[in-house]
């Protein structure tokens, strides 16, 4: 349905209509350097799709590639959610997710040499097929993994030693390593499932409680 795109606070594309997949465009002049890009969208009923393209002078129109995008350093965003087909990529950066409402991200998470730090007290559930190979740090609240491929097999999961922090595994999952936790919290609940760690061959210490049946 509807979508809009802003560059440096100025609206460039207004596609904010109840409709099927429809292409609209706009133009803006950019100086050399980094620029803020914001994309907003909503989905009502029927089919959906969202693709952001760019036409660089002297080149043909093409999808906006990850090579042109960057989160910057220690970027913080609010609560995230996403349906199947959505994507979150973090590479060579730290992304802080301030999760204040319980949400599910069913899209794909990718990235290397990166840190995703979940703060905020709410629960964030990952249910997609993910290839993230960085560090997933949980500084507050609960992370839930479901579907069996919800965390990259090389991802390092680090849990803070706080009562409000935890990891819940709803299906058998494979992660790269597990660390953190302690006397105060950072516990892991696996129920009757299996959690496999060690794929990234790193030495870690986990001091929390792992409970299951």
């Amino acid at each position: 349905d509807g979508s809009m795109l802003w560059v440096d606070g100025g609206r460039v594309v207004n596609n904010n209509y109840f409709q099927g997949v429809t292409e609209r465009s706009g133009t803006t002049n950019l100086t050399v350097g980094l620029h803020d890009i914001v994309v907003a969208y909503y989905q009502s009923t029927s089919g959906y799709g969202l693709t952001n393209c760019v036409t660089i002078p002297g080149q043909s129109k093409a999808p906006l590639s990850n090579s042109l995008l960057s989160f910057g350093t220690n970027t913080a965003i609010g609560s995230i959610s996403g349906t199947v087909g959505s994507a979150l990529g973090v590479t060579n950066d730290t992304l802080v997710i301030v999760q204040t409402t319980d949400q599910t991200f069913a899209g794909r998470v990718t990235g290397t040499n990166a840190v995703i730090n979940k703060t905020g007290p709410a629960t964030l559930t990952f249910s997609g097929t993910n290839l993230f190979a960085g560090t997933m740090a949980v500084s507050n609240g609960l992370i839930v993994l479901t579907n069996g491929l919800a965390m990259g097999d090389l991802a390092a999961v680090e849990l803070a030693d706080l009562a409000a922090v935890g990891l819940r595994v709803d299906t058998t999952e494979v992660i790269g390593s597990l660390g953190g936790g302690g006397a105060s919290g950072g516990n892991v609940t696996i129920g009757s499932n299996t959690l496999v760690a060690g794929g990234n061959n790193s030495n870690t210490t986990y001091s929390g409680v792992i409970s299951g049946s």
Side-chain angles (χ1 to χ4, degrees), residues 71-138:
F71 279 115
T73 303
N74 292 320
T75 300
I77 62 175
S79 298
I80 67 167
S81 63
T83 59
V84 175
S86 56
L88 173 66
V90 187
T91 298
N92 300 323
D93 282 313
T94 296
L95 175 66
V96 179
I97 301 174
V98 187
Q99 197 76 24
T100 56
T101 59
D102 295 345
Q103 299 287 350
T104 295
F105 188 82
R108 173 167 290 192
V109 182
T110 60
T112 57
N113 192 31
V115 175
I116 296 178
N117 183 12
K118 181 206 170 292
T119 68
T123 297
L124 176 56
T125 300
F126 290 103
S127 63
T129 300
N130 293 321
L131 301 174
F132 183 66
T135 298
M136 178 68 68
V138 186

Side-chain angles (χ1 to χ4, degrees), residues 134-205:
T135 298
M136 178 68 68
V138 186
S139 299
N140 194 4
L142 181 68
I143 288 276
V144 177
L145 305 180
T146 182
N147 119 345
L149 299 169
M151 187 59 58
D153 291 359
L154 300 179
V157 178
E158 294 285 337
L159 303 174
D161 182 14
L162 295 172
V165 171
L167 169 67
R168 194 181 82 212
V169 178
D170 285 354
T171 53
T172 293
E173 292 284 351
V174 178
I175 61 175
S177 62
L178 177 65
S184 298
N187 297 329
V188 177
T189 304
I190 63 174
S192 60
N193 304 298
T194 300
L195 177 64
V196 179
N200 61 17
N201 294 318
S202 62
N203 296 320
T204 62
T205 299

Side-chain angles (χ1 to χ4, degrees), residues 17-34:
Y17 305 96
F18 290 102
Q19 60 193 352
V21 177
T22 303
E23 179 178 335
R24 288 187 171 86
S25 63
T27 61
T28 186
N29 294 319
L30 300 178
T31 57
V32 175
L34 300 177

